[in-house]
Amino acid sequence: MAARSTRLRRWTAIATAVGLAAVMGACGGGSDDASSDGTVTLEFAQWWAPELPDGSFDKIINEFQTANPTIKVKLLSAPYASTKQQLVTGAASKTLPDVVGLDGAWVNDFAKQGAIADMSKLMTDAGYDASQLASQVQVDGKTYMVPVVNFVYPLFVNQDLLTKAGVDKVPSTRTEFLDAAKKISATGDNVKGWALPLDTAVPNGIQNDVMSWLWASGGSMLADGKPALQTPQVKSVVEYVKSLNDAGVIAPGSLTMKEQDKVEKFTTGQVGMVVDSLAHINLVKKNNPDLKFTVAPIPAEDGYTGKRGIPYASWGIGVANSSEHKAEAFKLVQYLMDAKANAELATLANGFPGNKTAKPDFTDSDPLFKQAFDIYSEGTPANEFVGLPKSEDLMRSFDEQLQLVLTGKGSVDDALAKSQENWSSVIE
């Protein structure tokens, strides 16, 4: 669930990306720029500034510099794709800037390459209280990334279609969801209850739209960090998705559908329910101002009473292993994770804080953001693909097996057995 696919962007000029490449190519690793008066300059590469209101991230960084007069921060800002390309190159050559914005999908590879630092040690050295963090991304029991802002994926529900179908409440369990999907699909006009994007070229539907059912009921696809795809919980999810398909409630074209297609179908009223990024609320309302919809937790297995997992993507942060100023770099991390600064950044990004005690300001936001924040606060951020090696390949191999199940060319047991084998060859 790369964060780039979950938010609306205001792309910067190509020159910005070229400038980032030039700066990063010249830096030759973590900055060793320390002036004679003891001032240290940190280089911070990220894609966040271009996605925030103009100048707002610079303001936060300036506030950090005011509070830490011996540390200067040089922002290397570019769109996600350009930042990813440069950081992948920098990780391979051990020439990363001191502080880096991270996508969870990169963490395992960067950590195994020795390109990013063990942040567990940095936290201990700084006496940092990690209990305030909503989540941490770990490899082999060590933290390498801290999610700064989270972008969650609740259930979007078309309230007019529910009413038309005679459903009096938003579904909260799998049984209620199937019932609602059947009744919506029965309203005619080629409307369906649910959309399931399974295009193998962009297989994040496995993460967002399939495994989300597992996490919503407190389940896991891993055991001690290893694949565990043949458990009753995982099997029940695949069987449930198959039951939705067999009932004819899934929008046609699933096997080649991408996330943006799903969003469009919901926006135009062709489907009643989708699991989608909260960042798309404004997009949906812009494209269809008359659409009456709400957001809700992803339905859980019947009888489940625990905390519900909710899928998310993040703006993550890490420190370069090659940095000469890891302690100073962690001070910047610590500042961005402070409740006040973290709440401010989350508010600007229309996301949710990585600090559990931070409260974003929803005064000028759509009421649905507050509603979604309550869902987020009452649940648990869940995305087990974050931190795994070759996570997109794992999604793709599972996707291929699920497609065989949905097209009647394979059994659920066979699909899970083959997926387990495929995953085990990647996750050692």
Side-chain angles (χ1 to χ4, degrees):
M1 188 184 319
R4 66 189 184 280
S5 65
T6 65
R7 298 178 303 283
L8 303 177
R9 287 190 165 73
R10 294 174 297 104
W11 296 103
T12 56
I14 292 176
T16 307
V18 175
L20 172 62
V23 171
M24 290 181 65
C27 75
S31 171
D32 58 1
D33 183 9
S35 65
S36 58
D37 63 358
T39 300
V40 167
T41 297
L42 301 175
E43 292 171 343
F44 181 12
Q46 35 62 49
W47 65 95
W48 312 347
E51 299 187 10
L52 293 168
D54 289 339
S56 60
F57 194 52
D58 296 81
K59 177 176 177 291
I60 291 174
I61 294 300
N62 287 338
E63 290 168 352
F64 166 77
Q65 293 177 137
T66 299
N68 297 271
T70 61
I71 304 175
K72 303 300 179 187
V73 180
K74 185 177 185 179
L75 288 178
L76 309 178
S77 305
Y80 176 93
S82 302
T83 301
K84 176 185 177 182
Q85 180 182 5
Q86 296 304 321
L87 293 184
V88 168
T89 301
S93 60
K94 307 296 192 297
T95 57
L96 288 175
D98 301 275
V99 184
V100 288
L102 292 172
D103 184 313
W106 314 337
V107 173
N108 189 284
D109 292 339
F110 285 11
K112 293 294 175 63
Q113 289 171 332
I116 49 179
D118 172 8
M119 292 184 72
S120 299
K121 182 178 186 305
L122 297 181
M123 291 180 199
T124 299
D125 291 347
Y128 183 73
D129 178 13
S131 66
Q132 63 192 292
L133 301 178
S135 58
Q136 302 175 51
V137 178
Q138 300 188 330
V139 177
D140 297 331
K142 298 176 180 178
T143 296
Y144 287 92
M145 172 184 131
V146 173
V148 180
V149 179
N150 295 314
F151 301 88
V152 300
Y153 278 65
L155 182 70
F156 281 48
V157 180
N158 184 319
Q159 292 168 296
D160 286 334
L161 283 179
L162 275 193
T163 301
K164 183 178 180 180
V167 179
D168 58 7
K169 68 173 184 176
V170 173
S172 178
T173 67
R174 291 183 189 175
T175 296
E176 291 173 356
F177 184 89
L178 176 57
D179 179 66
K182 286 179 178 178
K183 290 177 178 176
I184 290 171
S185 301
T187 60
D189 296 326
N190 295 316
V191 170
K192 294 294 183 180
W194 188 46
L196 174 63
L198 291 178
D199 191 323
T200 55
V202 189
N204 59 349
I206 295 301
Q207 172 181 265
N208 303 337
D209 304 84
V210 177
M211 288 301 180
S212 54
W213 293 93
L214 175 70
W215 302 326
S217 301
S220 174
M221 62 187 201
L222 304 172
D224 297 324
K226 305 296 182 184
L229 299 177
Q230 294 173 284
T231 63
Q233 285 183 311
V234 177
K235 183 176 180 179
S236 74
V237 169
V238 178
E239 288 179 334
Y240 181 68
V241 172
K242 182 178 184 297
S243 73
L244 292 166
N245 184 68
D246 292 345
V249 303
I250 300 177
S254 283
L255 305 190
T256 56
M257 186 182 293
K258 295 180 173 62
E259 181 174 275
Q260 59 264 36
D261 303 320
K262 169 185 72 176
V263 179
E264 182 179 350
K265 286 183 178 296
F266 182 81
T267 304
T268 57
Q270 293 176 272
V271 295
M273 298 176 287
V274 292
V275 177
D276 194 18
S277 167
L278 189 64
H280 288 153
I281 284 178
N282 292 335
L283 177 65
V284 172
K285 291 201 168 188
K286 176 183 177 183
N287 291 338
N288 189 354
D290 296 328
L291 185 67
K292 185 181 178 184
F293 69 98
T294 190
V295 295
I298 295 171
E301 199 167 10
D302 294 37
Y304 177 72
T305 58
K307 278 196 170 187
R308 299 197 185 192
I310 182 166
Y312 73 98
S314 301
W315 285 355
I317 197 167
V319 173
N321 214 14
S322 58
S323 174
E324 297 292 329
H325 308 294
K326 292 187 181 67
E328 291 85 356
F330 187 73
K331 281 190 176 181
L332 176 58
V333 174
Q334 190 170 343
Y335 183 83
L336 293 175
M337 297 309 299
D338 175 77
K340 180 178 180 295
N342 197 237
E344 181 181 357
L345 187 54
T347 300
L348 290 167
N350 284 327
F352 295 151
N355 183 313
K356 290 189 292 190
T357 67
K359 302 295 182 186
D361 182 1
F362 295 106
T363 304
D364 298 321
S365 301
D366 188 288
L368 288 180
F369 284 104
K370 173 63 169 66
Q371 191 172 323
F373 183 68
D374 292 340
I375 295 170
Y376 173 76
S377 300
E378 293 166 7
T380 303
N383 186 345
E384 291 185 295
F385 286 101
V386 170
L388 292 183
K390 303 184 186 304
S391 58
E392 190 169 282
D393 290 342
L394 299 178
M395 295 179 211
R396 183 173 293 108
S397 66
F398 195 97
D399 193 339
E400 292 167 350
Q401 294 302 320
L402 178 60
Q403 290 204 19
L404 293 177
V405 172
L406 299 183
T407 54
K409 297 175 182 176
S411 69
V412 172
D413 286 334
D414 284 346
L416 294 177
K418 289 176 182 176
S419 294
Q420 175 72 23
E421 182 180 352
N422 291 336
W423 284 28
S424 295
S425 68
V426 175
I427 306 173
E428 299 176 356

